[in-house]
Amino acid sequence: MTDTLDSSTSEAFRVVRHPSPATDEERAEKLRDLAFGLQFTDHMARVTWDAEQGWHDRRVEPYGPIPMDPAASVLHYAQEVFEGLKAYRWADGSIHLFRPEANALRLQRSAARMALPELSVLDFMESIRSLLALDHAWVPEADGTSLYLRPFLIGTDVFLGLRPPKKVDYLLIASPSGPYFAGGVKPVSIWVERDFHRAGPGGTGAAKCGGNYAASLLPQVKAYERGFDQVLYLDAATGSVLEELGGMNVFAVRRDGTVLTPVINGNILEGITRSSIIQLLEDNELKVVERDITLAELQDGIAEGEITEVFACGTAAIVTPVGRMASSDFEVTVGDGQPGPVTLAVRDRLMGVQYGRVEDTYGWMERVR
Ligand SMILES: *Cc1c(COP(=O)(O)O)cnc(C)c1O
């Protein structure tokens, strides 16, 4: 990794204003009954990289299609990594981000794994601030809504040979969004996948790359056809140890109050929600153990009532209770199938910090407006 906190390189983002941004009425219309990831703001931020100049041409420009040569390397070799974070509007109208530097650093780690250049933390932060300076009115205020920010890097080299790209774009788009799962804190059902794996030793499981998600779609579709909402993956080496869901980390709560979560092992995406939840649980006097959890332990634990709650977590869906879990050879209901007390309490606490309703004792929130 290069100097991650290099603060010397960010210059101001120049602004190319949208010639006809949404009117107040049009925006209000789009912010009504928000779903996840369907609406986009008037502008996007962009920084270009090439091998000669490094990162340059920092700008905010009208949101819109990005013309690309059909030989651009991302279209063939999937040189893409991304992030996801949210801007929250507090009751007093101010706008806050949740641990954005952690996203900036993770984007650097993901980029390094894909032989893409690393964007400085300062450029990452400035891109968000510059975009929000223009598009802050798009941060919705209804309960549970936010402006979902999607920073990403793509290889734009016009070359069919295989090499790290000599041209790259960083883009930041923003999507006013409602809850990821419609219908409040409804427990999801999970299919434990035996035939497919999300990541393997030495692979790209720890990088937030689009390719991981592409590979998760077939198992997701199959799980859906069986009547399940999400897929839980097991380790590729032994097929017996829990890793994570397609886009969320997983926790299990034991009857004695101990909370278990898979240890970060190079295959698992190191969620910022995950690490925040560990902190919140520990501060609530719960013992959190990061270690290998076998499927047998989970399955028997749930069946015998030793494990009373299971939940998944990530920025988009926050904390999502798991009500039912099954695979080709078993099916169990977790607890009584309803969201458990530890799950609900940690969800409440985390959202309380994010929306400014409870004190931010960790300095996690960063005010941007
Ligand atoms: C993004 C992501 C998560 C959750 O990470 P957060 O930082 O909590 O949003 C978990 N697993 C995968 C595979 C992810 O891509």
Side-chain angles (χ1 to χ4, degrees):
M1 213 186 303
T2 57
D3 183 10
T4 51
L5 289 169
D6 177 11
S7 57
S8 59
T9 54
S10 190
E11 292 151 27
F13 281 62
R14 75 189 160 83
V15 173
V16 184
R17 275 184 185 273
H18 198 296
S20 52
T23 63
D24 289 350
E25 295 72 41
E26 286 165 351
R27 191 185 331 103
E29 181 55 37
K30 288 187 172 184
L31 294 183
R32 226 187 308 280
D33 298 328
L34 282 170
F36 180 83
L38 287 172
Q39 304 289 348
F40 297 94
T41 68
D42 294 316
H43 298 88
M44 58 190 187
R46 191 165 186 177
V47 189
T48 297
W49 181 92
D50 66 37
E52 293 77 48
Q53 303 173 75
W55 290 108
H56 63 282
D57 201 9
R58 296 162 177 82
R59 70 264 197 205
V60 176
E61 57 188 31
Y63 180 94
I66 44 174
M68 211 186 285
D69 193 286
S73 56
V74 64
L75 301 177
H76 304 274
Y77 307 126
Q79 294 142 321
E80 193 264 4
V81 295
F82 67 95
E83 270 305 322
L85 69 164
K86 290 171 169 174
Y88 305 88
R89 189 173 302 276
W90 287 10
D92 65 1
S94 59
I95 298 173
H96 303 253
L97 305 173
F98 179 73
R99 306 184 72 184
E101 281 84 6
N103 295 94
L105 292 169
R106 190 170 64 188
L107 185 65
Q108 292 182 336
R109 296 198 296 274
S110 298
R113 178 62 184 83
M114 297 291 147
L116 288 164
E118 295 172 26
L119 187 79
S120 73
V121 173
L122 197 71
D123 271 338
F124 183 93
M125 292 306 303
E126 277 304 302
S127 72
I128 296 175
R129 288 180 188 281
S130 305
L131 181 61
L132 286 176
L134 267 71
D135 286 352
H136 57 87
W138 287 91
V139 183
E141 50 186 37
D143 206 31
T145 64
S146 60
L147 184 65
Y148 183 78
L149 302 170
R150 170 51 60 84
F152 61 105
L153 294 175
I154 50 173
T156 57
D157 227 7
V158 180
F159 179 50
L160 290 182
L162 188 58
R163 69 175 183 207
K166 295 190 171 182
K167 288 200 166 105
V168 171
D169 263 340
Y170 163 78
L171 288 118
L172 167 66
I173 58 176
S175 173
S177 290
Y180 189 79
F181 294 121
V185 214
K186 263 204 315 232
V188 296
S189 56
I190 280 186
W191 180 260
V192 181
E193 182 55 63
R194 291 313 213 325
D195 299 330
F196 297 99
H197 295 283
R198 178 188 167 268
T204 58
K208 212 168 174 71
C209 63
N212 288 344
Y213 280 72
S216 77
L217 291 176
L218 178 61
Q220 175 67 48
V221 167
K222 287 174 175 267
Y224 213 79
E225 284 168 1
R226 292 181 170 113
F228 290 82
D229 302 312
Q230 292 282 317
V231 175
L232 175 65
Y233 291 96
L234 302 173
D235 76 299
T238 71
S240 64
V241 179
L242 306 194
E243 291 201 327
E244 61 171 316
L245 278 62
M248 284 186 278
N249 296 115
V250 67
F251 285 77
V253 183
R254 290 163 50 113
R255 195 174 45 182
D256 66 6
T258 316
V259 182
L260 308 175
T261 194
V263 64
I264 297 299
N265 62 1
N267 295 341
I268 297 172
L269 199 289
E270 193 169 356
I272 296 160
T273 317
R274 174 189 178 278
S275 73
S276 308
I277 284 174
I278 291 173
Q279 179 89 59
L280 291 174
L281 290 172
E282 285 176 344
D283 289 355
N284 210 15
E285 312 289 301
L286 291 173
K287 185 166 164 11
V288 182
V289 184
E290 297 175 67
R291 64 158 165 85
D292 282 352
I293 307 165
T294 64
L295 176 60
E297 178 184 3
L298 185 74
Q299 191 184 327
D300 296 348
I302 293 171
E304 291 159 9
E306 199 54 49
I307 290 174
T308 51
E309 301 177 40
V310 175
F311 63 85
C313 70
T315 296
I318 320 172
V319 173
T320 301
V322 175
R324 193 161 64 97
M325 198 175 276
S327 191
S328 40
D329 53 354
F330 76 93
E331 169 145 10
V332 285
T333 299
V334 184
D336 59 2
Q338 295 308 309
V342 175
T343 305
L344 289 177
V346 79
R347 183 178 193 276
D348 240 42
R349 185 73 217 257
L350 180 62
M351 291 182 74
V353 172
Q354 291 172 334
Y355 286 93
R357 295 189 294 256
V358 306
E359 196 196 344
D360 171 22
T361 47
Y362 312 97
W364 282 342
M365 304 310 295
E366 192 151 322
R367 183 169 181 176
V368 283
R369 293 286 304 180

